[in-house]
Amino acid sequence: MNSASNFIPGPNQELLDAKPLRSLAPMFPAPMGAHVNQSSTPPLVCVTPVGQFPTGFGAGNLPAFGSSTTFNTTANGVFYTGASANGPIDATPISAYKTRPLGTVSLDDDDEPYSGNQITGSGRKSKRLSGLDTNGVKIKRPKQVYKNFVAGKELAFLPPSSSDPRGVVEAVHMTFEALRRRHLQLDEIQETSKRADLKAGAIMMASNIRANMGKRVGAVPGVEIGDIFYFRMELCVIGLHAPSMGGIDYMSAKFGTDEDSVAICIVAAGGYENEDEDTDTLVYSGSGGNSKNSEERHDQKLERGNLALERSLHRKNEIRVVRGFKDPFCLTGKIYIYDGLYKIQESWKERTKSGINCFKYKLLREPGQPDGAAIWKMTQGWIDNAASRGRVILPDISSGAEILPVCLVNEVDHEKGPGHFTYSNQVKYLRPHSSMKPLQGCGCHSVCLPGDASCACGQHNGGDLPYSSSGLLVCRKPIIYECGEVCNCSSNCRNRVTQKGVRFHFEVFRTASRGWGLRCWEPIRAGAFVCEYTGEVIDELKVNLDDSEDDYIFQTVCPGEKTLKWNFGPELIGEESTYALPDEFQPLPIKISAKKIGNVSRFMNHSCSPNVFWQPVQYDHGDDSHPHIMFFALKHISPMTELTYDYGVAGSESHGSGSHRTKNCFCGSSNCRGVF
DNA sequence: GTGGTTTCATGGGC
DNA sequence: CGCCCATGAAACCA
């Protein structure tokens, strides 16, 4: 059932290769430029030993870590956190990224990874790679699991560590996610949940795949305001907030000759703040005392984190704030947003409902920072009431074709909209489905289950169902086979994801200089289905005729490493990598033009450091040379972040006979290839 | 769905 | 250096 609508013609067709003035570099500086020999160059392992707090602060006046110096960035991209001219808090932030080969990570205690690092205050070394846990129970991390990992295979996209803190953080973050998804997939076969997040975290910790180890006051290199997370462990591995459970991260810091324990980061779970509108203040409760049974409940004590917060009030140091919100797509889930730097304004004691004395700290957001949680609240408001979104040119360019409206906005100039096209969420094939090879189906009753060897669809996908129970793609594959009409299973089957269409509030917006772009009001989780590339399938025999004037052609050109390596998790747990090398990449014959007919996908711009990737998927026919082209999130995408994918490297291939016109790329990524 | 219960990893502190 | 344990999130169970 094709739902299509005519779109209002705009003045001038905006080209996709419009030159960006606004560089995406700070958002996506990416790591995959240099291809380094794994055996001689260690993979990403990042250690930022914490430096001493600055000396030289006058004893009389309490030093305040000014926000004016917090975000200083040097020419080579090295961040100095909370630095002042004469006394950087962390003089060796990212340049100290120490790398060591994963393949030689010792699981015996004789090779202490960080023995040379001076770690002050905190930054304890993990020594639990082998041995016993606190109860004398053997730790459930069998050595052999880690013994043979990597072994010369490509592990993760390798950031040029010293110059690209963002790339390091993203690589670590995505490695965590890949591990977590795979563990979840394995756990779901057993029908037992074994905390895939903690498992992934344990591997990251044991392998030292972490960013920003060592604590610091102020901003964390490579972590940007608005970044979102789904598990506490994610905050941990990227070095934003060290305690895996505790809400207050603190460290001992030097203030002149004084030493004080100050808070450096808090996670506000979001259970109690009802001061709606105001996203610049936060009332945070101290920790402790809150026991479930009244016997153990007691007044909070001024110790540990509470004491650190109290000292921070006096020292006036910046404190990172991570706010927790309810995940709109998962009732029990929570999303954490890094909301930048705050300072404590005041503190007091308060008696809680359960009758204990509790410390309260009022924090004020430092001025001049980009919006973080404020964007979240703003978009949540739009989701609740789309009419509250201002600057709307058209409330729904899909005219009802999509389940959720796709609004068109322009907050930049006076362009009234993109050129004429017909909106359709269906691909228009050259031949009817009935003439195409049919897709094989399964005979599962009710729903397909992971690990069911008798499920033909599971086998067709290589043994595992490609999606987790929450609908996230586990890893990238040459082609994915969803269950379809010929299958016996119901529409509730987890192997039906992309066929159900988009679930997000998209908006087509005017970019500063790249024409129109696409972004989303909701947060998008890594692995989540985003949208399909719809349009008209072009006869490959005729492609050369009018390609040169069609800027809306999708073809399966080999994308960059970040896309190709999206499934790099398995190597870490000793499984075979399914990663395809660029020279092994096999393009598909399918070409889709969204010039005349298309959906939101036609507005996605190119980036050499993208946040979305394409993935062939089958569900309604079996012609594997002409699959559906589905887009999935490469990483967690914050609301209102432009969605981009890698258009691929054109020209070098013999196929297509140069039909793909090369364009100059100005995405601004540190790994920008220059053309696409 | 919800509320109570269990388990878990980190690193501060002794 | 080794041990202890506070902490609260995530997931499960009733």
Side-chain angles (χ1 to χ4, degrees), chain A residues 494-508:
Chain A
R494 80 169 64 186
N495 195 27
R496 299 169 183 265
V497 173
T498 64
Q499 59 190 269
K500 291 180 176 173
V502 301
R503 309 184 307 160
F504 298 114
H505 283 90
F506 291 113
E507 69 174 37
V508 174

Side-chain angles (χ1 to χ4, degrees), chain A residues 16 24 514 603-610 642-649 664-667 672-676:
Chain A
L16 287 175
L24 285 177
R514 309 203 301 167
F603 295 106
M604 260 195 288
N605 286 312
H606 164 84
S607 172
C608 295
S609 189
E642 181 174 4
L643 304 179
T644 55
Y645 73 99
D646 191 333
Y647 285 10
V649 187
N664 292 326
C665 177
F666 296 90
C667 75
C672 179
R673 295 189 298 264
V675 294
F676 64 88

Side-chain angles (χ1 to χ4, degrees), chain A residues 218-248:
Chain A
V220 173
V223 180
E224 292 175 4
I225 292 173
D227 281 354
I228 59 175
F229 311 90
Y230 288 77
F231 293 92
R232 286 289 302 266
M233 201 55 80
E234 296 172 52
L235 308 177
C236 196
V237 295
I238 62 158
L240 185 60
H241 185 89
S244 61
M245 300 178 186
I248 308 167

Side-chain angles (χ1 to χ4, degrees), chain A residues 523-534:
Chain A
I524 305 177
R525 237 178 133 159
F529 169 61
V530 176
C531 58
E532 175 172 6
Y533 199 94
T534 69

Side-chain angles (χ1 to χ4, degrees), chain A residues 29 71 101 211 273 392 399 416 424 440 442 497 514 554 563 634:
Chain A
F71 297 104
E273 31 87 59
V392 170
S399 296
K416 286 290 186 280
S424 172
Q440 74 172 77
C442 66
V497 173
R514 309 203 301 167
F554 177 91
T563 297
L634 195 85

Side-chain angles (χ1 to χ4, degrees), chain A residues 9 14 55 82 114 162 356-357 391:
Chain A
E14 197 51 53
T55 54
Y114 306 117
S162 60
I356 62 164
N357 277 321
R391 304 279 203 136

Side-chain angles (χ1 to χ4, degrees), chain A residues 272-588:
Chain A
Y272 40 98
E273 31 87 59
N274 290 325
E275 308 167 45
D276 300 68
E277 301 308 308
D278 192 358
T279 49
D280 279 347
T281 66
L282 171 70
V283 176
Y284 188 77
S285 300
S287 72
N290 278 311
S291 182
K292 286 286 187 287
N293 54 356
S294 51
E295 294 237 332
E296 291 172 27
R297 231 168 5 227
H298 58 82
D299 286 354
Q300 291 187 345
K301 294 174 193 156
L302 195 58
E303 57 184 22
R304 299 191 185 93
N306 297 345
L307 180 60
L309 284 165
E310 200 61 42
R311 299 314 303 152
S312 284
L313 168 63
H314 293 102
R315 296 294 185 180
K316 302 188 193 312
N317 66 297
E318 292 167 330
I319 299 172
R320 302 186 292 272
V321 168
V322 179
R323 290 180 185 253
F325 291 94
K326 230 173 88 177
D327 183 347
F329 293 108
C330 176
L331 291 172
T332 57
K334 203 178 268 184
I335 300 183
Y336 301 94
I337 301 178
Y338 175 51
D339 196 33
L341 303 174
Y342 284 63
K343 283 183 182 174
I344 302 181
Q345 189 185 42
E346 56 176 324
S347 71
W348 65 93
K349 259 188 176 180
E350 204 173 290
R351 187 164 284 274
T352 66
K353 276 185 212 163
S354 52
I356 62 164
N357 277 321
C358 159
F359 292 105
K360 294 278 183 178
Y361 302 89
K362 184 174 186 184
L363 292 96
L364 271 186
R365 196 160 191 264
E366 288 286 280
Q369 304 181 88
D371 285 341
I375 291 181
W376 178 277
K377 295 224 168 182
M378 181 178 72
T379 52
Q380 288 297 307
W382 298 344
I383 292 164
D384 294 340
N385 175 20
S388 64
R389 171 75 169 115
R391 304 279 203 136
V392 170
I393 296 171
L394 205 64
D396 183 12
I397 65 167
S398 88
S399 296
E402 302 287 4
I403 299 163
L404 299 171
V406 180
C407 73
L408 176 71
V409 295
N410 188 346
E411 297 171 312
V412 173
D413 54 31
H414 298 293
E415 287 290 322
K416 286 290 186 280
H420 176 271
F421 75 101
T422 302
Y423 196 100
S424 172
N425 55 9
Q426 304 275 316
V427 179
K428 193 176 169 191
Y429 285 93
L430 291 168
R431 298 179 291 153
H433 283 170
S434 56
S435 70
M436 297 163 99
K437 189 182 155 199
L439 185 67
Q440 74 172 77
C442 66
C444 297
H445 299 293
S446 181
V447 294
C448 298
L449 293 171
D452 181 0
S454 65
C455 172
C457 293
Q459 298 308 308
H460 207 184
N461 282 301
D464 290 311
L465 293 176
Y467 306 109
S468 68
S469 58
S470 49
L472 299 181
L473 182 63
V474 175
C475 73
R476 196 164 192 276
K477 296 193 169 184
I479 195 156
I480 280 171
Y481 301 95
E482 295 194 2
C483 291
E485 280 179 22
V486 288
C487 293
N488 201 31
C489 58
S490 74
S491 63
N492 290 330
C493 175
R494 80 169 64 186
N495 195 27
R496 299 169 183 265
V497 173
T498 64
Q499 59 190 269
K500 291 180 176 173
V502 301
R503 309 184 307 160
F504 298 114
H505 283 90
F506 291 113
E507 69 174 37
V508 174
F509 73 106
R510 188 71 176 167
T511 67
S513 51
R514 309 203 301 167
W516 299 93
L518 184 68
R519 63 191 177 193
C520 179
W521 292 354
E522 287 94 354
I524 305 177
R525 237 178 133 159
F529 169 61
V530 176
C531 58
E532 175 172 6
Y533 199 94
T534 69
E536 296 173 285
V537 174
I538 298 176
D539 191 332
E540 49 262 42
L541 301 175
K542 298 182 190 166
V543 282
N544 290 332
L545 293 180
D546 55 2
D547 268 10
S548 58
E549 53 204 57
D550 190 345
D551 287 302
Y552 291 98
I553 284 188
F554 177 91
Q555 48 190 344
T556 56
V557 182
C558 183
E561 284 184 290
K562 204 165 190 173
T563 297
L564 280 180
K565 290 184 181 178
W566 193 71
N567 52 350
F568 56 79
E571 305 91 317
L572 268 178
I573 51 176
E575 295 182 356
E576 197 177 336
S577 170
T578 49
Y579 164 58
L581 292 165
D583 52 0
E584 296 167 354
F585 179 84
Q586 291 290 322
L588 294 165

